[in-house]
Amino acid sequence: MAGTAPSPTSASTGRTRNLVLATAASVAGFWAWNSVATLGAFYTQNLQLNPATTGVLVAMPVFVGSLGRIVVGTLTDRYGGRAMFTFVLLASILPILLVSVGGLLSSFPLVLGAGLLLGVAGTVFAVGIPFVSAWYEPSRRGFATGVFGAGMGGTALAAFLNPRLVAAIGYFPTHLLIAGVLAVMAALVWFLMKESPGWTRNNAPVLPKLLDAARTPVTWKMCFLYAVVFGGFVSFATYLPTYLRDVYSFDPSGAGARTAGFALAAVLARPVGGVLADKFGPKPVVIVSLTAVAVLAWVVNLQPDGEVPAGLTFVAMAAALGLGTGGVFAWVGVLAPQGKVGSISGVVSAAGGLGGYFPPLVMGATYDAATHSYSIGLLLLVVTALVALAFTIFGIRGRTKARVVPA
């Protein structure tokens, strides 16, 4: 991450192209990262899994991808976004192929182990935040990180396309296609992407930087909030196909299309959250988001009947979570000390991923097959959102808008 933001003149020529490339790389990474979750019904049937075991399987890439963001965010400060984007995309190819082999062999251990390795694809987010932040002045970093965050639309792409691709061209060719997209995107990044003119390599040892980020109070405040809003998005995006199958009896394609709609709503809302945070400050945006999440989680728990009421509820939930993710990461850019955005964003994004790791496990473990109910998990989300809301209102003080001067 740059110590100073680039001047408007030097940054204007390349910032749009590099923001687009970073977002496209994130789409590819999220598509691969969510590939196991979107085919949860396939694995449940072919590997004869129960809901709890399916929850473990779909959560594995999330777990490793979350922890890996801590290191990858810090390494981006040292090696730059171009190198780290390329590395993450290429490193995701072998795991996606191993997942496909495990599915063909009906081997649960192989799919589980490959899913762990596939977590590397989820670290793409920790590369992009410091990379795009370096291209924009502080007053527009909410916009930049919000647009880049829309790369989580790769989850929508995976949810919509993967079940249909498996039905159309087969299970193994679908994974070959994803691997090919990763390879092409890595080549585009390597040959077309450039670092911000204001970016300077930070050669400080990784461990001291992480310890320094851990000692910064704002890190843990943002970790908690991001674990709720982004973790909520990840957990819904990964487990929603299973939820829709169990509660509303959708087939894999129908559940995938609706999960894609959920993810798309969150993707569109994220940049809006960043822009509103630039204009009004992140705190009001996060307050609105968490209030809506608490209310809507309660409504989801009531299992609204009918396509329109249920669909609108889930879309509104996605929009609330997307708004919150944009607001929280805009807040990171405002509160993070100078020169620490990369390491702090890596830790915060890891917390967000981990926030999405546990809910699928809880949902699978608490599912009531007799009543087709996930009430316990959803009520826990209501309580968590209310606690986060109280913490946002009373527990976070300091700057609420971006610095006027570059940082």
Side-chain angles (χ1 to χ4, degrees), residues 234-248:
V234 170
S235 58
F236 268 104
T238 55
Y239 205 77
L240 195 54
T242 301
Y243 181 94
L244 293 175
R245 180 198 67 196
D246 292 340
V247 176
Y248 292 99

Side-chain angles (χ1 to χ4, degrees), residues 39-55 57 102-103 105-109 111 245:
L39 297 176
F42 172 88
Y43 296 117
T44 299
Q45 179 179 353
N46 285 45
L47 305 181
Q48 299 181 341
L49 307 178
N50 58 41
T53 309
T54 300
L57 185 67
L105 298 178
S106 297
S107 171
F108 175 75
V111 176
R245 180 198 67 196

Side-chain angles (χ1 to χ4, degrees), residues 300-327:
V300 171
N301 170 63
L302 299 177
Q303 296 184 12
D305 193 18
E307 180 80 12
V308 174
L312 290 177
T313 300
F314 280 108
V315 167
M317 170 68 81
L321 291 167
L323 195 73
T325 58

Side-chain angles (χ1 to χ4, degrees), residues 146-171:
V147 171
F148 169 73
M152 66 188 189
T155 59
L157 199 64
F160 184 79
L161 287 181
N162 287 1
R164 287 168 170 75
L165 287 171
V166 169
I169 64 176
Y171 174 80

Side-chain angles (χ1 to χ4, degrees), residues 8 19 53-54 64 70 82 85 88 103-104 116 123 128 140 144 163 170 172 196 201 227 250 314 325 352 365 370 400:
L19 179 58
T53 309
T54 300
V64 175
I70 299 173
R82 174 174 171 264
F85 270 127
V88 167
L104 285 177
L116 282 168
T123 66
R140 297 199 67 205
F172 185 68
S196 163
R201 183 186 300 270
F250 283 111
F314 280 108
T325 58
T400 59

Side-chain angles (χ1 to χ4, degrees), residues 368-381:
D368 187 340
T371 60
H372 301 287
S373 173
Y374 285 96
S375 289
I376 294 177
L378 291 167
L379 291 177
L380 285 173
L381 176 57

Side-chain angles (χ1 to χ4, degrees), residues 198-295:
W199 178 79
T200 54
R201 183 186 300 270
N202 188 331
N203 290 318
V206 172
L207 184 58
K209 287 186 65 180
L210 291 176
L211 292 175
D212 184 44
R215 288 192 293 265
T216 305
V218 66
T219 302
W220 300 108
K221 294 177 180 179
M222 295 299 104
C223 277
F224 173 57
L225 295 181
Y226 202 63
V228 176
V229 290
F230 186 74
F233 164 75
V234 170
S235 58
F236 268 104
T238 55
Y239 205 77
L240 195 54
T242 301
Y243 181 94
L244 293 175
R245 180 198 67 196
D246 292 340
V247 176
Y248 292 99
S249 302
F250 283 111
D251 61 25
S253 293
R258 287 158 180 82
T259 302
F262 175 92
L264 183 60
V267 166
L268 294 176
R270 179 162 188 152
V272 174
V275 171
L276 290 176
D278 285 341
K279 185 174 180 62
F280 301 107
K283 188 169 185 173
V285 174
V286 176
I287 288 174
V288 170
S289 166
L290 292 171
T291 302
V293 169
V295 172

Side-chain angles (χ1 to χ4, degrees), residues 61-203:
V62 177
F63 179 70
V64 175
S66 303
L67 292 180
R69 290 177 178 187
I70 299 173
V71 176
V72 168
T74 305
L75 290 177
T76 302
D77 285 343
R78 174 179 292 187
Y79 298 109
R82 174 174 171 264
M84 292 305 299
F85 270 127
T86 305
F87 168 78
V88 167
L89 292 168
L90 292 178
S92 303
I93 293 175
L94 180 59
I96 199 73
L97 295 177
L98 289 176
V99 165
S100 67
V101 173
L104 285 177
L105 298 178
S106 297
S107 171
F108 175 75
L110 182 53
V111 176
L112 185 67
L116 282 168
L117 296 176
L118 188 57
V120 68
T123 66
V124 70
F125 187 80
V127 179
I129 291 296
F131 174 79
V132 301
S133 293
W135 275 102
Y136 286 80
E137 60 273 15
S139 62
R140 297 199 67 205
R141 284 178 185 165
F143 162 78
T145 58
V147 171
F148 169 73
M152 66 188 189
T155 59
L157 199 64
F160 184 79
L161 287 181
N162 287 1
R164 287 168 170 75
L165 287 171
V166 169
I169 64 176
Y171 174 80
F172 185 68
T174 295
H175 289 77
L176 285 179
L177 175 62
I178 297 172
V181 170
L182 291 169
V184 170
M185 196 64 238
L188 290 174
V189 165
W190 183 254
F191 291 108
L192 299 179
M193 184 174 277
K194 295 184 182 300
E195 302 295 337
S196 163
W199 178 79
T200 54
R201 183 186 300 270
N202 188 331
N203 290 318

